[in-house]
């Protein structure tokens, strides 16, 4: 898949991490039904590889379901084998390197200009600015875009509705949203409440596009 194009088109990545694999699967399916089909299933969740495999089986191989928290070479290989369409890392290292070698697009975790330079030189498709809130929020992103105007930044960490709006206005290609969107759905919480939150985030994305 063309990860950068997908990020620019959808502008929102849902991050699913839960303790109940069945609930996590239901969460992904509900998000896709609401129109959020760029989804990262974190490997730190329960049976995350199984969740990815089941998502691909339910949705088909063309859906952009990615693996998150890809730390090691083994993580990258397991994500590829499970059918993940892309890999997301919290930082640079073996997980990102091996994912690229396997042909998986990589959303690589960075925080500093040095890390951004390194990630771009290593061929990262896009840059996960993480943890974005602790790094300085939308003003920090805006400052980074001056020396890196062509980089595709995806802020992650503490991105609620207001922050999503601010990051997109500051030039983010997309935003990555975990608990403010998913909340307890991947642990068995309300899917109807999840759907309401999904619609609210999609409204912010549409507002930014308009």
């Amino acid at each position: 898949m063309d990860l950068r194009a997908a990020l620019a088109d959808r502008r929102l990545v849902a991050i699913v991490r839960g303790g109940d694999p069945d609930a996590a699967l239901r969460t992904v399916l509900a998000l896709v039904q609401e129109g959020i089909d760029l989804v990262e299933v974190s490997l730190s969740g329960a049976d995350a590889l199984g969740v990815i495999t089941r998502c691909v089986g339910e949705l088909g191989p063309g859906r952009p379901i990615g693996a998150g928290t890809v730390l090691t070479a083994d993580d990258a290989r397991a994500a590829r084998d499970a059918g993940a369409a892309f890999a997301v890392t919290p930082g640079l290292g073996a997980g990102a390197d091996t994912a690229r070698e396997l042909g998986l697009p990589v959303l690589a975790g960075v925080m500093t200009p040095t890390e951004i330079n390194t990630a771009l030189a290593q061929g990262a498709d896009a840059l996960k600015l993480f943890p974005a809130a602790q790094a300085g929020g939308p003003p920090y992103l805006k400052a980074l875009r001056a020396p890196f105007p062509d980089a595709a930044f995806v802020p992650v960490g503490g991105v609620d509705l207001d922050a999503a709006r601010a990051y997109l206005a500051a030039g983010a290609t997309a935003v990555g949203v975990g608990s403010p969107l998913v909340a307890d759905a991947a642990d068995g919480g309300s899917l109807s409440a999840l759907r309401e939150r999904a619609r609210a985030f999609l409204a912010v994305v549409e507002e930014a596009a308009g």
Side-chain angles (χ1 to χ4, degrees), residues 123-149:
D125 296 85
L127 305 172
K128 170 183 170 180
L129 187 61
F130 175 79
Q134 287 74 18
Y140 184 58
L141 170 63
K142 187 174 182 180
L144 287 174
R145 291 194 68 246
F148 302 105

Side-chain angles (χ1 to χ4, degrees), residues 10-210:
R10 275 81 161 188
R11 308 208 72 187
L12 176 62
V13 183
I15 303 167
V16 176
R17 176 188 293 104
D20 181 335
D22 291 333
L25 174 63
R26 291 193 296 269
T27 296
V28 174
L29 297 179
L31 289 168
V32 171
Q33 289 166 1
E34 291 300 326
I36 301 176
D37 67 347
L38 192 56
V39 181
E40 164 196 339
V41 177
S42 172
L43 296 187
S44 61
D47 190 27
L49 293 167
V51 173
I52 292 170
T53 298
R54 293 165 69 192
C55 286
V56 173
E58 290 275 352
L59 299 169
R63 292 286 190 172
I65 304 299
T69 323
V70 176
L71 294 171
T72 68
D74 285 344
D75 287 341
R77 286 189 282 267
R80 187 272 313 273
D81 293 345
F86 62 96
V88 184
T89 72
L92 305 178
D97 294 342
T98 302
R100 283 191 301 273
E101 292 168 4
L102 294 171
L104 284 178
V106 176
L107 175 55
V110 297
M111 181 182 277
T112 67
T114 297
E115 291 171 346
I116 292 167
N117 266 330
T118 301
L120 293 174
Q122 292 177 349
D125 296 85
L127 305 172
K128 170 183 170 180
L129 187 61
F130 175 79
Q134 287 74 18
Y140 184 58
L141 170 63
K142 187 174 182 180
L144 287 174
R145 291 194 68 246
F148 302 105
D150 299 324
F153 286 102
V154 183
V156 176
V159 181
D160 59 14
L161 286 168
D162 289 338
R165 187 178 290 109
Y167 282 121
L168 292 170
T173 298
V175 290
V177 186
S179 57
L181 168 60
V182 175
D184 63 350
D187 294 309
S190 169
L191 289 181
S192 60
L194 170 70
R195 292 177 184 277
E196 290 179 8
R197 292 189 297 271
R199 293 175 195 136
F201 274 97
L202 286 169
V204 168
V205 170
E206 291 170 8
E207 174 190 318

